[in-house]
């Protein structure tokens, strides 16, 4: 099936099996291996990408369903050689060990900060009438769809806190 | 030339003489971090040679003789290339450092979930659907899956008695006699096991997700019936291991066989649900702990008796008692363990085998004793620390548990706690505190590394060592930079390729000490070369900032090399030192936990860990490792349990939605203190 996507600023045209997930399209058909396959079932968040501004599990959706959309993957977070503030903060706080969950954590955190700026509430937001400050509890709640088995949560959250405070 | 070094005596030479401001021990960014945050790091499944075919493993849904009933039908499907059932395929992953094939042959299923065939097709979608259509029948008797039905293996017992423990238990002024059970647990590394196999004539290159390549190469060759030098393994990035990737796995063997049969490269990626079944789990345990003490809490006798399980044919028993030989002083000691043979997925090493569940149960019993004797839990542990290894009188290479306990106590603010339960309440939450000592044996293993110093003044470190998130790329670069007076940016580190000298591999916390020492030895050979060129002794030499300094003579290294490359090869072997002294790492962990009075929900609010783990090579990566261990402790205590079906032993919760690893919201900020710890 013909599908056109704009990925990290570049328009690509694919002719693929309708069963191909967005994740497999990125990895196997476009060679963008930055998005990771940890569970293929929407349970771990390693495949998180940003589709039309929203973070999604790319393993849970078919590529053909995203025809015409704009997708940002981990490969698209930096501006040329210059890392994004979050990428840089992950290095500073060692918000990674094996690195396999890292692309998902980064895409998720990038979109999550936008959600918070837009005043979107989370499960732990007490007052829904005013925008919640991005406390540690808010960050960990909003990031809990991204598992890290190495246990780097302290570093990841410290990195997000640093960028959120800027 | 090679510098061989065997550690026969306690090593206190304080090599390699850090000058206090060198790269060794620094708080330094992970060298491979940039590749990881930009998505450039390539893991096993992310290599796609031309003509790549895709394989999916098929599992047994029953035990007994396996019959594939519709192979021809499946092979006739468009895009399907092969349904492979081969006697060389393996039943489960090899045990760590096996160096030989695990149990082979998949025409019988010894446990539910065992791989029985590989379906290969032109795309992963076709292979997945074809594997779903493949019908597997299993015919056979029910095999034991519950510990009470399994037979004890007489060859897998441990029995150690010091003094007269039974007398001491009988006469004890205070006695704790408690039995604990822990469930099966799993590594659940984020990257599923995966292999990409490609043959060139009779030589195989395989990208794998593996921890210990020198052993994995021998295991794979043995599985395939070829020589190790026909196998090249590559694992430049590994998405976590935690023991599950110590031994060669089913995907690797199946991919190699299919690639050979089809004459095309084949990729096999384990589905997440297979990761839970096909690789090794941590055994469930049952542990009886007896502590006899005086009324002041000083121990007179220790009893630790355990039972674990494994699949028939597996020579691994969860080493539950490992720390109980030397954790606390007591004149009488009884240590026993036994293993029951069960037809559940194979058991093997999972992060901190033995210690994770053995020490945890023991420490809970110590808390029971603290309660019974009304002695503060930290004080109770301090009162019972041995000054030599109990039983045999071996000295400790270093024993910093007391320092960990007292430093951690102060950092956590332990003295502010309420000693009795249910003293502090916030809304509907009870707030409590707890602590435990952490003890883990220390080992080193055979390791080799090569270092080249190029005419441009750059160093290149080469070994088949892996970096599974531990920081090998970073610390091996720091060691070479320190030894050769370079900056870390002047050092390239190439890992994860069996064409390079065999490192220790990653497992059992041996990597940094073993492969790190091999890198240091390789650099020592280069230093010897440089000294010879200057007509000096190596010990007169100082290397700093890319310069060679001898007395008042300082000159650039590059001038001395004059276009040549110097090469050093380091080879480390464990020696008698492991027998002469007891080596271990120490720690103390403190936690504040809120428990909801209505729902029983437990939330960890604060956690502090203080550790003495030898010389810290990089503060930042070491801290992350320590935090990871604390997260695993939290998971072990609160969230994780592998559930076996009581009828057939299969793993019921075999994915990340049902097996709950701790998530962001479960984990508070983890305060870590690493004590300066060098053997004197």
């Amino acid at each position: 099936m013909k599908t056109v996507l704009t990925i990290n600023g570049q328009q690509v045209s694919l002719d693929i099996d309708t069963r191909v997930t967005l994740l497999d399209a990125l990895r196997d058909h476009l060679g963008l291996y930055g998005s990771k396959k940890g569970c293929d079932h929407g349970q771990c968040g390693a495949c998180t990408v940003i589709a039309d501004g929203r973070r999604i599990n790319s393993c849970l959706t078919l590529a053909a369903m995203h025809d015409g959309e704009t997708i940002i993957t981990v490969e698209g977070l930096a501006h040329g050689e210059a890392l994004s503030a979050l990428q840089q903060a992950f290095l500073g706080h060692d918000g990674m060990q094996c690195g396999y969950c890292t692309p998902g954590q980064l895409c998720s955190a990038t979109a999550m900060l936008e959600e918070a700026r837009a005043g979107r509430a989370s499960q732990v937001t007490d007052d829904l009438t005013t925008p919640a400050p991005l406390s540690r509890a808010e960050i960990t709640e909003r990031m809990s769809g991204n598992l890290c088995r190495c246990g780097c949560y302290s570093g990841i959250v410290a990195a997000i806190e640093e960028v959120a405070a800027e | 030339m090679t510098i061989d070094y065997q550690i026969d005596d306690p090593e206190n030479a304080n090599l390699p003489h850090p000058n206090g401001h060198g790269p060794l021990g620094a708080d330094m960014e992970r060298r491979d971090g940039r590749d990881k945050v930009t998505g450039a790091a390539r893991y096993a499944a992310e290599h796609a040679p031309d003509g790549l075919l895709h394989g999916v493993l098929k599992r047994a849904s029953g035990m007994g003789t396996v019959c594939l009933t519709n192979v021809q039908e499946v092979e006739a499907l468009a895009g399907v290339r092969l349904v492979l059932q081969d006697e060389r395929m393996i039943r489960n992953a090899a045990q760590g450092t096996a160096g030989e094939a695990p149990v082979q042959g998949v025409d019988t299923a010894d446990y539910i979930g065992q791989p029985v065939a590989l379906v290969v097709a032109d795309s992963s979608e076709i292979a997945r659907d074809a594997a779903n259509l493949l019908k597997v029948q299993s015919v056979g008797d029910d095999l034991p899956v519950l510990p009470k039905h399994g037979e004890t293996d007489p060859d897998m017992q441990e029995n150690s008695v010091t003094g007269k423990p039974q007398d001491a238990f009988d006469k004890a002024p205070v006695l704790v006699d408690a039995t604990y059970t822990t469930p099966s647990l799993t590594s659940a590394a984020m990257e599923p096991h995966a292999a990409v196999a490609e043959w060139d004539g009779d030589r195989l290159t395989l990208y794998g997700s593996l921890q210990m390549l020198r052993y994995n190469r021998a295991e794979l060759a043995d599985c395939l019936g070829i020589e190790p030098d026909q196998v090249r393994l590559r694992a430049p990035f590994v998405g976590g291991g935690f023991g599950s990737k110590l031994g060669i796995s089913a995907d690797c063997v199946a991919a190699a066989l299919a690639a050979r049969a089809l004459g095309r490269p084949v990729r096999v990626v384990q589905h997440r649900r297979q990761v839970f079944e096909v690789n090794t789990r941590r055994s469930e345990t049952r542990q009886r702990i007896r502590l006899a003490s005086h009324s002041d809490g000083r121990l007179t006798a220790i009893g630790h008796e355990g039972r674990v399980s494994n699949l028939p044919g597996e020579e691994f028993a969860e080493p539950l008692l490992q720390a109980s030989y030397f954790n606390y002083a007591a004149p009488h000691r009884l240590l026993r363990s036994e293993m029951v043979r069960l037809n559940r997925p194979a058991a093997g090493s999972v992060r901190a085998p033995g210690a994770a569940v053995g020490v945890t149960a023991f420490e809970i019993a110590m808390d029971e004793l603290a309660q019974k004797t009304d002695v503060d839990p930290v004080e109770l542990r301090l009162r019972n620390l041995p000054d030599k290894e109990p039983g045999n009188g071996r000295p400790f290479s270093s024993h910093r548990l007391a320092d960990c306990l007292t430093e951690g106590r102060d950092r956590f603010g332990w003295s502010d706690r309420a000693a009795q339960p249910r003293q502090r309440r916030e809304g509907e939450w009870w707030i409590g505190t707890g602590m435990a000592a952490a003890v883990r044996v220390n080992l080193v293993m055979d390791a080799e590394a090569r270092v080249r110093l190029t005419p441009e003044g750059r160093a290149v470190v080469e070994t088949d060592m892996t970096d599974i998130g531990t920081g090998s790329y970073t610390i091996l670069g720091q060691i070479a930079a320190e030894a050769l007076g370079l900056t870390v940016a002047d050092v390239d580190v190439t890992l994860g390729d069996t064409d390079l000298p065999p490192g220790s591999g990653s497992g059992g916390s041996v990597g940094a000490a073993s492969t790190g020492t091999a890198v240091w030895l390789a650099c020592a050979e280069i230093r010897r070369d440089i000294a010879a060129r200057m007509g000096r002794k190596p010990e007169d030499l100082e290397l700093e900032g890319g310069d060679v300094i001898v007395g008042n003579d300082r000159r650039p290294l590059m001038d001395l090399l004059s276009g040549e490359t110097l090469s050093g090869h380091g080879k480390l072997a464990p020696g008698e030192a492991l027998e002469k002294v007891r080596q271990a790492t120490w720690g103390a962990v403190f936690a504040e936990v809120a428990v909801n009075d209505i729902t029983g929900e437990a939330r960890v609010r604060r956690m502090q860990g203080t550790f003495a783990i030898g010389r810290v090579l990089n503060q930042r990566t070491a801290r992350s490792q320590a935090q990871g261990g604390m997260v695993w402790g939290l998971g072990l205590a609160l969230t994780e349990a592998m559930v076996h079906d009581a009828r057939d032993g299969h793993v019921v919760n075999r994915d990340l939605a049902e097996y709950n690893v701790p998530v962001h919201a479960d984990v508070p900020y983890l305060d870590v203190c690493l004590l300066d710890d060098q053997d004197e």
Side-chain angles (χ1 to χ4, degrees):
Chain A
M1 183 172 177
K2 269 227 181 291
T3 304
V4 179
L5 302 166
T6 303
I7 300 173
N8 303 327
Q10 279 199 311
Q11 197 176 74
V12 295
S13 185
L14 289 164
D15 190 6
I16 45 174
D17 190 326
T18 49
R19 293 172 294 183
V20 176
T21 63
L22 178 57
L23 177 61
D24 286 338
L26 292 169
R27 288 167 63 87
D28 290 345
H29 295 267
L30 297 168
L32 292 170
Y33 288 108
S35 304
K36 301 303 180 196
K37 186 183 283 194
C39 69
D40 218 16
H41 266 63
Q43 300 168 345
C44 77
C47 66
T48 306
V49 300
I50 304 169
D52 278 352
R54 285 183 62 212
R55 49 182 171 154
I56 60 168
N57 288 324
S58 62
C59 74
L60 277 189
T61 188
L62 299 171
M65 295 160 64
H66 295 271
D67 189 39
E69 290 185 14
T70 296
I71 311 289
I72 297 171
T73 71
V74 69
E75 288 95 342
L77 295 179
H79 307 282
E81 284 298 294
L83 297 179
S84 77
L86 268 171
Q87 287 172 313
Q88 197 61 53
F90 268 57
L91 292 178
H93 294 278
D94 206 33
M96 81 207 79
Q97 288 183 46
C98 80
Y100 203 77
C101 76
T102 312
Q105 301 278 358
L106 281 163
C107 286
S108 189
T110 300
M112 183 275 286
L113 288 174
E114 289 305 317
E115 290 162 19
R117 277 185 201 118
R120 302 238 321 252
S122 83
Q123 168 78 15
V124 298
T125 308
D126 285 331
D127 181 357
L128 300 183
T129 60
T130 55
L134 208 50
S135 63
R136 191 172 203 288
E138 283 281 355
I139 292 171
T140 56
E141 171 62 27
R142 290 166 192 260
M143 290 298 294
S144 280
N146 291 88
L147 308 185
C148 166
R149 187 54 162 164
C150 295
C152 303
Y153 295 126
S154 294
I156 295 168
V157 175
I160 296 172
E161 284 180 317
E162 182 188 302
V163 174
E166 279 167 9
Chain B
M1 281 289 290
T2 298
I3 294 191
D4 280 282
Y5 182 58
Q6 183 167 311
I7 309 178
D8 287 328
D9 290 297
E11 177 56 70
N12 51 18
N14 193 22
L15 299 172
H17 301 293
N19 54 19
H21 46 81
L24 201 64
D27 184 335
M28 196 168 276
E29 183 179 303
R30 202 173 280 269
R31 296 174 63 89
D32 49 339
R34 193 181 169 94
D35 282 345
K36 286 175 174 173
V37 300
T38 56
R42 286 276 170 279
Y43 298 78
E46 296 163 1
H47 296 88
D50 287 343
L52 184 67
L53 297 172
H54 304 263
V56 169
L57 288 166
K58 179 73 180 180
R59 76 189 276 273
S61 51
M63 283 182 264
T65 305
V66 171
C67 184
L68 307 178
T69 59
N70 63 341
V71 171
Q72 284 181 331
E73 194 183 308
V74 172
E75 282 189 327
L77 294 169
V80 174
R81 298 281 174 158
L82 177 69
V83 175
L84 180 76
Q85 194 185 35
D86 189 294
E87 63 187 12
R88 290 167 290 181
M89 289 171 72
I90 58 177
R91 179 183 74 171
N92 49 260
Q95 298 290 343
T97 70
E100 60 182 23
V103 174
Q104 288 177 281
V106 292
D107 52 356
T108 303
D110 292 340
Y111 63 93
I112 293 181
Q114 181 191 304
V116 294
L118 181 78
V119 180
V120 187
D122 290 346
S123 76
S124 59
E125 289 80 14
I126 295 170
R128 184 187 60 205
D129 285 0
N132 279 339
L133 293 170
L134 181 65
K135 289 184 183 147
V136 180
Q137 280 183 357
S138 311
V139 184
D141 295 330
D142 283 348
L143 297 165
V145 297
L146 293 175
K148 64 183 173 191
H149 296 147
E151 283 185 23
T152 305
D153 188 330
D155 297 330
M156 299 297 285
Q157 297 188 32
E158 198 173 337
N159 197 346
S160 163
V161 179
T162 308
K164 294 183 174 170
Q166 192 56 54
D167 276 4
F169 295 138
D170 291 343
K171 294 175 190 156
V174 184
L175 180 70
V176 170
D177 184 349
T179 298
Y180 305 95
T181 58
T182 62
S184 291
L185 297 162
T186 193
S187 297
M190 292 302 294
E191 181 205 14
H193 299 59
V196 175
E198 185 173 25
W199 290 83
D200 179 7
D202 61 359
R203 298 180 67 83
L204 168 70
T205 298
L206 184 138
Y207 282 91
S209 188
L210 297 162
Q211 294 179 226
M212 305 187 100
L213 298 192
R214 66 151 62 188
Y215 303 98
N216 304 142
R217 180 191 209 184
E219 289 152 8
L220 184 54
D222 192 25
C223 289
L224 301 174
I226 59 176
E227 294 303 315
D229 63 11
Q230 290 172 260
V231 176
R232 181 184 185 188
L233 293 181
R234 304 194 68 183
F237 287 97
V238 180
F242 317 111
S244 73
K245 297 169 182 172
L246 290 175
I248 201 76
S249 49
D251 48 290
C252 296
V253 180
L257 289 168
R260 183 87 204 211
L262 293 165
R264 288 187 45 187
V266 171
R267 174 162 81 195
V268 178
V269 183
Q270 289 187 21
H271 186 275
R272 173 52 66 184
R273 296 194 129 198
Q274 291 172 332
V275 173
F276 277 74
E277 296 180 320
V278 178
N279 311 295
T280 47
R281 67 188 164 95
R282 190 198 304 282
S283 170
E284 70 293 273
T285 75
R286 181 181 183 85
Q287 302 176 58
R288 181 186 186 192
I289 293 168
R290 279 180 286 178
L291 301 174
S293 85
H294 298 289
S295 58
D296 64 357
R298 276 182 301 117
L299 291 165
T300 55
I302 284 170
H304 191 170
E305 296 161 272
R307 187 169 63 180
V308 301
S309 81
N310 210 340
L311 190 60
E314 294 302 313
E315 291 177 16
F316 173 88
E318 179 77 18
L320 276 181
L321 310 176
Q322 212 169 48
S324 301
Y325 284 92
F326 63 93
N327 57 353
Y328 297 110
H332 307 284
R333 193 175 301 256
L334 167 68
L335 302 175
R336 271 193 201 137
S337 74
E338 59 179 22
M339 184 215 274
V340 222
R341 291 297 184 182
L342 295 182
N343 290 75
R344 295 178 167 188
S349 293
V350 176
R351 197 171 192 172
V357 282
V359 173
T360 298
F362 199 102
E363 288 295 305
I364 294 169
M366 287 294 280
D367 281 342
E368 297 292 344
L369 184 63
Q371 193 75 20
K372 271 200 168 177
T373 54
D374 198 25
V375 176
D376 175 82
V378 178
E379 177 58 31
L380 178 71
R381 285 155 173 96
L382 290 170
R383 266 179 209 178
N384 285 295
L385 298 183
D387 51 7
K388 293 193 177 73
E389 184 168 34
N392 59 26
R394 271 197 301 182
F396 290 101
S397 66
S398 88
H399 194 296
R400 303 291 304 280
L401 183 50
D403 297 331
C404 292
L405 288 164
T406 52
E407 179 71 24
R409 177 174 67 185
D410 294 346
R411 283 177 172 261
F412 182 78
W414 181 252
S415 59
D416 299 337
R417 78 191 268 267
Q420 296 303 315
R422 294 190 178 228
Q423 298 297 301
R424 191 172 150 205
R425 191 170 167 120
E426 294 177 12
E428 61 192 40
W429 297 87
W430 291 108
I431 315 297
T433 51
M435 58 79 55
V439 182
R440 169 101 169 106
V441 295
N442 182 60
L443 292 170
V444 289
M445 289 174 63
D446 291 301
E448 295 179 44
R450 179 168 60 222
V451 177
R452 287 181 290 122
L453 185 63
T454 70
E456 298 77 35
R458 292 187 65 79
V460 183
V461 177
E462 295 171 316
T463 153
D464 80 355
M465 178 65 185
T466 49
D467 187 332
I468 61 173
T470 41
S472 311
Y473 278 111
T474 313
I475 58 117
L476 296 180
Q478 286 175 271
I479 290 169
E482 180 79 39
L484 299 174
L486 303 173
T487 66
V488 169
D490 294 328
V491 184
D492 296 314
V493 181
T494 307
L495 303 179
D497 184 344
T498 54
D499 275 1
L500 304 176
S504 59
S506 304
S509 302
V510 306
S514 306
T515 310
T517 303
V519 169
W520 161 249
L521 294 170
C523 293
E525 189 181 346
I526 292 175
R527 289 176 66 105
R528 200 170 64 187
D529 235 359
I530 295 169
R533 280 163 188 251
M534 296 184 73
R536 302 289 190 139
K537 287 187 253 170
E539 52 268 33
D540 298 334
L541 205 68
E542 207 179 315
L543 298 176
E544 193 185 286
D547 290 340
V548 188
I549 308 161
V550 181
N552 292 329
D553 183 6
R554 178 175 191 137
R555 53 177 124 157
L557 201 49
M558 278 168 70
D559 291 358
L560 202 72
L561 294 172
S562 56
E564 280 183 67
T565 294
L566 300 184
S567 183
H569 190 117
K571 188 173 179 187
L572 173 79
E576 293 169 12
L578 285 173
E579 302 301 320
K580 289 179 181 168
V581 291
R582 161 53 66 190
Q583 300 175 34
T585 52
W586 314 96
V589 180
F590 294 79
E592 179 181 292
V593 179
V595 179
N596 192 289
D597 193 21
I598 297 151
T599 65
E601 180 184 359
R603 310 289 305 167
V604 179
R605 307 213 309 183
R606 274 193 312 132
M607 217 166 160
Q608 202 288 324
T610 298
F611 304 97
I613 51 172
R615 176 191 279 176
V616 172
L617 300 171
N618 181 327
Q619 290 290 336
R620 200 176 305 182
T621 53
R623 186 183 61 218
S624 292
Q625 282 294 116
Q627 286 173 332
M630 290 163 73
V631 171
W632 276 59
L634 192 158
L636 171 70
L638 294 178
T639 69
E640 295 182 40
M642 195 183 230
V643 179
H644 297 275
D645 187 293
R647 297 161 300 177
D648 60 21
H650 86 268
V651 182
V652 176
N653 55 341
R654 54 185 196 277
D655 61 37
L656 294 169
E658 303 293 331
Y659 184 97
N660 298 320
V661 305
V663 304
H664 272 289
D666 294 321
V667 182
Y669 179 75
L670 303 173
D671 181 45
V672 168
C673 171
L674 302 173
L675 298 181
D676 184 35
D677 178 37
Q678 277 175 223
D679 295 355
E680 297 299 331

